Amino acid sequence: MPVPKILGLWAALLAASGLLAYGLSSAHFPAALLLGPMLAAIVFGVRGAPLRIPKPGFQGAQAMIGCLVAHAINAEIAGTMLDDGLLILLVVLVTVLAGGLVGYVLTRMRVLPGTTAAWGSSPGGAAAMVAMAEEYGSDPRLVAFMQYVRVAAVVLSASVVARLLTEPSAASGADTMPVQAIPALSVLITLTVAAVGAGIALALRLPAGALIGPMVLGAALHATGLASLVLPPALLDAAYATIGWYVGLRFTRETLRETFHALPGILIATVAVILLCAGWAFGLTRILPIDFLTAFLATSPGGLDSVAIIAVGAKVDVSFVLAVQTLRLFVVLITGPLLAKWIARAAPPDKTAG
């Protein structure tokens, strides 16, 4: 496609994203600058726009969100992990089992082939699940579609719940770091933390390394007073929009056509996982002194970057939410192959064979 036409499509996507983000922000939705671009990108992707966010751009946006989260959670996440470690692990295991149960049901009902249901229903690490699924012989296109339907549904449901349970005055200005004056040196330090943290984590092949590396490094430096993390609002806005576009543009007309027969099952599976996790979140409010929104975001089945943005914007217990989400990501990556094999064995025999 000619460059001028590509630039025109990007300009149109930018304008549509801005209008949707403005409307959602006026309605006091947390993470409006993530949600608006994602919804616009879904429309453009399904209509066949040949637009994609390069992976380095997506990783750069994740690194910015990692610094934002580091600024918000400081040292509290370590204390939360120590104080409620066993309960957090239980929360993680219940969420993972909910995804496994849905994958098992889809496999038994022959909605999806082989281990595709296991990888597609796995609650977290969408990009990692797609890569691992291909290594284990599943259809990566169908797994990717299931994963990003789930991510989009989680963002939508979490934003709606956050909007309903958050006072408008509390949510309206919570999407950015509180900055009155922006020292150039602090911005430079923050960008260095983002680059170094992401570089080390990606070199170590950590899951969601571009997000977790800056988050861990930044939290350590910020909590000990060795560095003050500051990001200009415009840079954060660009990071939010980039993540929204990255997710939304994954929904293409070709993907819809290839997965059309499985779409009802995928949607039912996605809603089922979210409802199971929401039910568990309600149970948590009876066990722990936390509010439902904190529990809902903590148990939401991914993705980590999107939930982090909503959590910071909604003024919940960010340390608890991030502790659960981060631990779940690692548990999912460890248990994914085992769960996929177990679900594959549950598949009924092919009656047409032989």
Side-chain angles (χ1 to χ4, degrees), residues 135-160:
E135 292 178 8
Y136 281 83
S138 293
D139 186 342
R141 297 169 301 176
L142 193 54
V143 172
F145 185 70
M146 282 189 70
Q147 284 287 338
Y148 285 102
V149 165
R150 176 182 52 77
V151 171
V154 166
V155 173
L156 287 169
S157 61
S159 296
V160 170

Side-chain angles (χ1 to χ4, degrees), residues 43-67:
V43 174
F44 273 68
V46 171
R47 290 181 63 86
L51 303 177
R52 292 292 182 274
I53 295 294
K55 191 171 184 180
F58 175 61
Q59 291 174 332
Q62 285 187 309
M64 296 299 100
I65 302 306
C67 290

Side-chain angles (χ1 to χ4, degrees), residues 5 11 13 22 101-102 132 142 169 239 270 290 304 312 322 332 347:
K5 191 169 183 180
L13 177 59
Y22 178 78
L101 176 62
V102 170
M132 292 172 71
L142 193 54
S169 59
T270 300
I290 58 176
L304 177 58
V312 173
L322 266 293
V332 164

Side-chain angles (χ1 to χ4, degrees), residues 52-235:
R52 292 292 182 274
I53 295 294
K55 191 171 184 180
F58 175 61
Q59 291 174 332
Q62 285 187 309
M64 296 299 100
I65 302 306
C67 290
L68 172 66
V69 171
H71 182 277
I73 65 176
N74 51 63
E76 293 181 5
I77 191 169
T80 300
M81 291 288 285
L82 291 174
D83 294 340
D84 302 313
L86 289 177
L87 187 58
I88 288 174
L89 181 59
L90 178 61
V91 174
V92 168
L93 292 177
V94 170
T95 305
V96 172
L97 288 175
L101 176 62
V102 170
Y104 175 86
V105 172
L106 289 178
T107 301
R108 292 292 297 176
M109 295 177 63
R110 295 180 178 275
V111 175
L112 297 167
T115 59
T116 300
W119 297 108
S121 301
S122 185
M129 289 300 104
V130 173
M132 292 172 71
E134 190 166 13
E135 292 178 8
Y136 281 83
S138 293
D139 186 342
R141 297 169 301 176
L142 193 54
V143 172
F145 185 70
M146 282 189 70
Q147 284 287 338
Y148 285 102
V149 165
R150 176 182 52 77
V151 171
V154 166
V155 173
L156 287 169
S157 61
S159 296
V160 170
V161 171
R163 171 63 185 89
L164 294 175
L165 299 182
T166 305
E167 290 295 328
S169 59
S172 59
D175 281 320
T176 58
M177 289 181 177
V179 286
Q180 284 74 36
I182 304 179
L185 181 60
S186 294
V187 175
L188 181 61
I189 290 173
T190 304
L191 294 177
T192 302
V193 168
V196 173
I200 293 174
L202 291 173
L204 294 174
R205 299 184 180 275
L206 293 178
L211 174 73
I212 290 178
M215 185 177 76
V216 173
L217 178 61
L221 295 175
H222 186 73
T224 56
L226 295 176
S228 177
L229 301 185
V230 176
L231 284 172
L235 193 56

